[in-house]
Amino acid sequence: MSRRVLILGGTTEATALCRALALDDRFAAVLSLAGRTLHPVLPPGPYRIGGFGGAAGLAEYLRAGAFDILIDATHPFAVRISANAAQAAERAEIPLLAIHRPPWQAQAGDRWTEVPTMHAAAMALGDPPRRVLLTVGQLDLLPFAARPWHRYVLRSVDPPPADILPDAPRILARGPFTVDDEHALLRRHATEIIVTKNSGGTATQAKLHAARALGVRVVMIARPSVPDVVAVPDAARAVAWLRDHDARLRGV
Ligand code: NAP
C-alpha cells in the first residue's frame, strides 16, 4: 500500500518532489497550492487549490484524507502556512518534513544592505530619488507606495494591483532568469538598487550575479523565522528522507 503524502507547495522544490514521487509507487502524493498565482505550474498527479481554514482545518484535511506524512515545501517567506503545518501535523499525529532551501549569502563584491522587514527595505532606499527594481512579489508593495519619489520598476509573476504605484513599469515574468537577461534588464532601466527577499535557490539568483558585476546595490530582506522542525535543504533529500522513512516502517 502506498503512503499518502500531502505536499504544501507553491515552490520549485514542491514541483520537483511531486515529479519524483509520481514515479515511485511507494508514495501517493497530493500537491496543495494556496491559489495565489493565476497560472500555477502544475506537476503530474493530483492537486488541490485553496486554504484549509487555519491549522485546525489542515489537521482535519489530513485526517479526512488519511494522509501518512505532511511535507512543508512552501516558500521561506510563507510563515503562516509553515506554522499551521507544524501544528496540524502534531494534531493529526503524523510526521512533518520541511524543505528549507538555504538562504543566499553575500559574496565579495556584493553591495547588500540586509533588513528585517519590507518596511525597513523601503526605508533603506533613503531619501534621494533612486531607480529601483522591486522583485518582492505583487502583494508586498505598499511600503514602497508610501515612498513614491523613487522611480520603481516592478517585476512579479502576476500583475500587481493597478492602484499601487500605477505609473511604475510592470514586468510580468517567472524565473528562472539568466545572468545575461538580468544584466540587460538592470542596464535598460539604469537600475541603482534591487530590492529582494532572501528567497535562496537558483531560479531568481541571477539578478544577484548581475548586480555584483554592475555594482548595483541590493536591499536584501532577511528570512523570517519558521518553526524548528525536521528539515532538508532540497527536493532530492526530501525523496531520500521519505524512502528511509518508508523502509523503517516496513522494517527493511
Ligand atoms: P502564508 O502567508 O504563509 O499563508 C497564508 C494562508 O494561505 C495560509 O494560512 C493558508 O490558508 C494559505 N496557504 C498558503 N500556502 C498554502 C498551500 N500551499 N496550500 C494551501 N493553502 C495555503 O503564505 P503566502 O506567503 O501568502 O504564500 C502563499 C503561497 O505562495 C505558498 O504556497 C507559498 O509557497 C507560495 N509563495 C510565496 C512566496 C512569498 O514570498 N511569500 C513566494 C513564492 C511562492 P489557511 O490558513 O486558510 O489554510
Side-chain angles (χ1 to χ4, degrees):
M1 205 183 62
S2 307
R3 296 195 196 284
R4 286 180 55 72
V5 183
L6 181 66
I7 301 171
L8 302 172
T11 56
T12 50
E13 288 84 352
T15 310
L17 182 56
C18 287
R19 286 189 202 289
L21 295 187
L23 304 173
D24 189 332
D25 58 13
R26 284 168 286 188
F27 303 101
V30 175
L31 173 67
S32 174
L33 298 172
R36 293 283 187 283
T37 49
L38 294 174
H39 305 289
V41 178
L42 291 172
Y47 66 91
R48 51 136 349 254
I49 296 184
F52 299 96
L58 177 53
E60 186 43 42
Y61 183 88
L62 291 167
R63 276 196 218 99
F67 284 97
D68 301 297
I69 301 159
L70 178 60
I71 307 282
D72 176 9
T74 58
H75 189 272
F77 281 72
V79 288
R80 265 200 292 159
I81 188 69
S82 290
N84 291 351
Q87 286 179 38
E90 208 171 299
R91 286 189 202 196
E93 298 180 348
I94 62 169
L96 166 68
L97 177 71
I99 302 182
H100 288 165
R101 104 176 45 136
W104 294 315
Q105 305 287 344
Q107 297 181 21
D110 279 331
R111 299 176 62 210
W112 289 13
T113 304
E114 295 190 68
V115 294
T117 62
M118 205 59 71
H119 177 74
M123 299 299 288
L125 299 177
D127 288 333
R130 300 287 182 203
R131 290 181 297 276
V132 181
L133 175 64
L134 290 181
T135 64
V136 295
Q138 70 275 15
L139 301 177
D140 286 309
L141 298 170
L142 276 177
F144 303 97
R147 303 178 75 74
W149 55 89
H150 298 297
R151 284 177 52 198
Y152 298 103
V153 173
L154 314 180
R155 183 171 73 187
S156 53
V157 172
D158 288 315
D163 57 342
I164 296 189
L165 296 167
D167 299 328
R170 275 123 162 96
I171 300 172
L172 300 185
R174 190 197 296 268
F177 303 103
T178 67
V179 177
D180 283 350
D181 286 347
E182 297 294 59
H183 206 277
L185 174 72
L186 296 180
R187 292 190 75 120
R188 188 158 60 248
H189 294 281
T191 304
E192 295 172 282
I193 306 176
I194 300 175
V195 183
T196 179
K197 297 174 181 173
N198 193 336
S199 299
T202 53
T204 59
Q205 193 177 23
K207 63 190 168 195
L208 303 178
H209 295 290
R212 189 178 309 128
L214 293 171
V216 167
R217 274 183 60 202
V218 174
V219 173
M220 181 65 71
I221 301 153
R223 293 277 178 96
S225 53
V226 287
D228 185 14
V229 299
V230 177
V232 291
D234 55 34
R237 267 164 281 194
V239 173
W241 185 93
L242 282 164
R243 289 181 178 157
D244 282 354
H245 178 75
D246 177 67
R248 262 198 315 279
L249 293 185
R250 286 182 204 272
V252 292

